[in-house]
Amino acid sequence: MSSFCRFGGMLLAMLAAGQGSAAAEGGAAAQLGPRPFYLVDSMKPGPLQDRLRQCGADRAYTTRNFSISHRGAPLQFPEHTREGVLAAARMGAGIIECDVAFTKDRQLVCRHAQCDLHTTTDILARPDLAAKCSQPFSPADPATGRKASAKCCTSDLTVAEFKSLNGKMDAFDPNAVTVEAYMNATPRWRTDLYATTGTLMTHKEYIALVKSLGRRFTPELKAPEVPMPFQGSYTQDRYAQQVIDEYKEAGVPAADVYPQSFQLRDVLYWIAREPEFGRQAVFLDERDDTEAGFDNMRPETWTPSMAELAGRGVRILAPALSMLVTVGEGGRIVPSAYALEAKKAGLGLIAWSLERSGPLKAGGGYYYRTIRPVVDRDGDMLALLDVLHRDVGVIGVFSDWPATTTFYANCVGAE
């Protein structure tokens, strides 16, 4: 085992310490279904496939914190719904995510973006609520090339109105000329089989559900898409504080919560104002998309540096899968400079998001862009996962279908 793997294990154990924490890793049975074994069968032949094949469908699989639910289980269930959370828990996710947005009456709800209701719910099919959207539905116009559009935000609705919506698979058709066609756009590699009932959740309801399941929490503070302060007094800091306050009110130990944000200011706020929660706050790093010239193989392009982040109290980074790996000699997947520098600075790493790219036969898209030359089949996601665990030393991986990460964690003994 690499020194970074040992470091990752020690960090996870340290962060999870404390009385009253959630059920111990490996304590609850997991139901995997056929997908992880299908992925093993589709791997390139070799020692890794042979090792994973030894983990048969007839063995007992248990919940692992290495397996982090990304928005529930959105490969098949509408994201951020009660049904998706239950599916993720049954598949052995030890940590379950809620992206946190706020409503018109400043209540916190689970939604990937503040303004995604037009693609993730049935709001456009509800004329009374669609009329409240920031931007109503506008059909595509083939004559001018104009695309269909809409913008419906959690902050357009009260929490009661939000709760009356039904979650659907996140999708839209930009070429649609009707609301029905705009909404009916689920990718072929997902399914609408479970989209007839998508129960939306407030943040408090998510806390109660995940607590009842004995799992841990990772709330993500979403960047507001409305001017802040909202309604003149609701500041970004009040928003960040409200998230933590709802865990305190529910009696959830800080050791069970991994608050996260793409905005470094939020992470630093928690570190300064809520140190028990801030000590395992996660900085979601998308600088490869947002910072001009950023290169995961060139440390001089990173601002702030790994050492500077650690010096400011950040302990965990969570970048996209692609930021952590590159192609090395002989076509091997190897850790990127970004991953190696994080190790040197003593930072833990969490990666996102497995099972989000659809079939990998065309190279896997965004999440596999740094290793695209060696990706040509679905089983390659397990090859990547193995490098992330053994060579990069990640302490967890977000997945849209947690059965896969649960399977792998059980096979290799990851916590």
Side-chain angles (χ1 to χ4, degrees):
M1 180 183 295
S2 71
S3 60
F4 200 17
C5 290
R6 289 193 294 272
F7 162 78
M10 290 187 291
L11 178 64
L12 186 57
M14 175 181 65
L15 295 180
Q19 294 183 348
S21 61
E25 298 85 347
Q31 305 168 15
L32 300 187
R35 180 162 176 77
F37 309 100
Y38 160 80
L39 294 176
V40 172
D41 288 342
S42 66
M43 293 178 70
K44 296 180 179 73
L48 178 58
Q49 185 188 49
D50 293 341
R51 289 200 303 272
L52 295 182
R53 275 184 168 161
Q54 294 176 12
C55 298
D58 56 346
R59 64 168 283 177
Y61 289 88
T62 56
T63 296
R64 301 295 168 117
N65 282 337
F66 181 87
S67 180
I68 306 174
S69 159
H70 182 238
R71 311 186 201 176
L75 185 64
Q76 293 195 26
F77 289 81
E79 64 186 44
H80 290 312
T81 59
R82 178 181 176 85
E83 293 81 2
V85 167
L86 290 172
R90 288 167 179 147
M91 287 188 280
I95 303 172
I96 298 176
E97 182 186 42
C98 167
D99 293 321
V100 184
F102 55 84
T103 60
K104 186 176 183 178
D105 46 354
R106 303 181 187 181
Q107 299 300 302
L108 301 181
V109 295
C110 295
R111 203 89 315 251
H112 176 249
Q114 184 176 30
C115 297
D116 72 0
L117 297 183
H118 52 289
T119 67
T120 64
T121 76
D122 64 349
I123 189 170
L124 294 179
R126 304 275 299 279
D128 55 331
L129 297 180
K132 299 174 182 280
C133 290
S134 295
Q135 297 176 15
F137 173 71
S138 175
D141 184 349
T144 64
R146 185 186 69 204
K147 299 297 185 182
S149 64
K151 184 178 181 181
C152 304
C153 307
T154 59
S155 51
D156 293 333
L157 307 178
T158 66
V159 70
E161 291 167 335
F162 170 85
K163 282 283 294 171
S164 73
L165 297 172
N166 188 74
K168 75 174 190 69
M169 298 300 281
D170 183 12
F172 69 98
D173 182 356
N175 299 311
V177 296
T178 66
V179 165
E180 292 76 15
Y182 184 81
M183 296 173 61
N184 186 23
T186 302
R188 292 177 60 188
W189 45 272
R190 289 184 176 155
T191 179
D192 286 321
L193 185 62
Y194 305 108
T196 55
T197 54
T199 307
L200 303 194
M201 297 181 297
T202 66
H203 183 234
K204 288 181 179 179
E205 289 171 335
Y206 151 84
I207 292 174
L209 177 58
V210 174
K211 184 178 180 182
S212 74
L213 296 168
R215 308 304 163 86
R216 291 187 169 93
F217 312 79
T218 185
E220 179 187 333
L221 195 70
K222 301 307 297 186
E225 296 184 45
V226 295
M228 299 292 276
F230 180 63
Q231 297 178 339
S233 59
Y234 191 62
T235 64
Q236 183 71 19
D237 286 351
R238 290 185 67 179
Y239 177 28
Q241 186 63 51
Q242 187 179 356
V243 170
I244 302 303
D245 287 345
E246 293 194 351
Y247 289 95
K248 291 180 173 180
E249 292 166 7
V252 175
D256 287 348
V257 185
Y258 297 79
Q260 52 178 337
S261 178
F262 280 104
Q263 300 182 93
L264 181 58
R265 70 170 312 281
D266 298 331
V267 175
L268 297 178
Y269 173 87
W270 291 321
I271 290 170
R273 299 293 295 273
E274 292 287 350
E276 288 190 1
F277 289 86
R279 71 192 300 265
Q280 55 190 40
V282 180
F283 175 36
L284 297 163
D285 193 354
E286 60 175 351
R287 287 178 291 171
D288 59 330
D289 281 340
T290 60
E291 208 170 89
F294 185 96
D295 185 334
N296 73 336
M297 296 300 292
R298 295 172 57 221
E300 66 272 16
T301 66
W302 311 340
T303 304
S305 68
M306 297 296 184
E308 289 169 337
L309 287 171
R312 299 176 77 175
V314 176
R315 304 178 77 182
I316 308 176
L317 280 179
L321 300 169
S322 57
M323 290 176 67
L324 293 172
V325 290
T326 189
V327 178
E329 292 183 6
R332 294 175 54 249
I333 302 173
V334 298
S336 66
Y338 179 100
L340 297 174
E341 289 297 315
K343 170 186 174 180
K344 290 179 183 178
L347 296 169
L349 290 168
I350 294 172
W352 46 269
S353 294
L354 208 68
E355 306 272 25
R356 192 152 186 84
S357 301
L360 301 189
K361 63 182 179 180
Y366 172 81
Y367 293 99
Y368 297 82
R369 55 186 174 175
T370 56
I371 57 171
R372 183 170 183 173
V374 298
V375 174
D376 62 11
R377 65 193 69 195
D378 291 350
D380 287 332
M381 69 179 66
L382 288 174
L384 170 59
L385 194 56
D386 192 62
V387 172
L388 291 173
H389 168 63
R390 295 187 184 279
D391 300 327
V392 174
V394 299
I395 59 177
V397 177
F398 282 94
S399 177
D400 280 23
W401 198 245
T404 300
T405 42
T406 300
F407 164 79
Y408 177 83
N410 274 264
C411 284
V412 302
E415 296 183 356

